[in-house]
Amino acid sequence: MSDGIFLEDSSESPLILIVEDDASLRVLIARTLKENGFRTTLASAAPDMWRAIKMAPPDLILLDVMLPGTNGLDLCREIRLQQNDVPIIMISAQTDEVDRVLGLEFGADDYVPKPFGTKELLARVRAILRRRAGPLSQRKTPRDLLIFLGWKVDLRRRELFSPDGVQVELSGAEFDLLNAFLDHPQRIIGRERLMELSRARLTDASDRSVDVLVSRLRRKLSQNVTDRPLIRTVRGAGYMFVAEVERA
């Protein structure tokens, strides 16, 4: 095992992988998480991160943007290219909106700017883990399947299938956003209300973060560039999912 990887506790509590090159901050985050019932794996750079994922797949990754070697944004993209939908929270000292938008574009579920309070970080971690194990996964048939224009959504397995039967990979935030639209089809939903319904925890529901998530989801719901967008932008009001939705 590399010196950059350290696994704490062997219980069945959620496992959080902390990828942070600042040793003091890495230990502080780990201690906070452990005191609140989580297990942690610590990594200081990309090689350690990949080894940690292989040894013990985490339930969530806290991923710093500014890492030596491969940066956090590229690592986030590589994780998603491997079709790994583990929740990812990006952490960065950069306050530029571009970093936040890029993180979401590359598949991150949330973004926390430095410096941050440990209570805020814990709240975001818990919120994302709740989404993964929340009421959607506990729904029983026959309400587990949603259908619209040939698309199928399995709520229990949190899976999306195209009309051709191909599974479309969604991040946790993308799936929750889709479910919010499917619960309120053909209705205009404002940004703030949309984020409340999807239980997402983004920095600001009024900034580009919401638009990025919607844009990502819209692209994944389009099989061809000529397809009519299923999510329509209503200028000055929000968004509308235009298709009829059936529960099977």
Side-chain angles (χ1 to χ4, degrees), residues 109-126:
D109 294 270
D110 204 350
Y111 185 102
V112 180
K114 295 179 181 178
F116 54 82
T118 55
K119 290 184 179 179
E120 177 188 5
L121 184 64
L122 277 169
R124 290 173 182 265
V125 167
R126 286 169 172 158

Side-chain angles (χ1 to χ4, degrees), residues 16-17 19 49 53 58-63 79 86-89:
I16 313 298
L17 171 55
V19 188
M49 183 196 79
I53 292 174
D59 296 294
L60 183 145
I61 300 176
L62 294 174
L63 182 57
I79 290 170
V86 59
I88 298 173
I89 298 178

Side-chain angles (χ1 to χ4, degrees), residues 176-244:
D176 291 327
L177 184 66
L178 173 61
N179 188 63
F181 278 123
L182 298 183
D183 274 344
H184 302 79
Q186 300 179 324
R187 292 174 54 186
I188 298 174
I189 310 175
R191 285 181 174 85
E192 185 173 351
R193 179 58 177 158
L194 186 60
M195 301 315 289
E196 290 175 358
L197 291 170
S198 64
R199 302 188 302 282
R201 297 293 186 271
L202 296 177
T203 307
D204 184 350
S206 65
D207 67 17
R208 285 190 60 201
S209 301
V210 181
D211 299 325
V212 168
L213 271 179
V214 171
S215 178
R216 273 170 38 193
L217 181 58
R218 183 185 281 143
R219 286 198 302 269
K220 292 184 178 183
L221 290 173
S222 299
Q223 292 185 298
N224 302 292
V225 295
T226 57
D227 284 349
R228 176 190 175 193
L230 290 175
I231 302 174
R232 181 162 64 90
T233 301
V234 182
R235 188 176 299 277
Y239 296 97
M240 176 190 291
F241 189 82
V242 299
E244 294 184 1

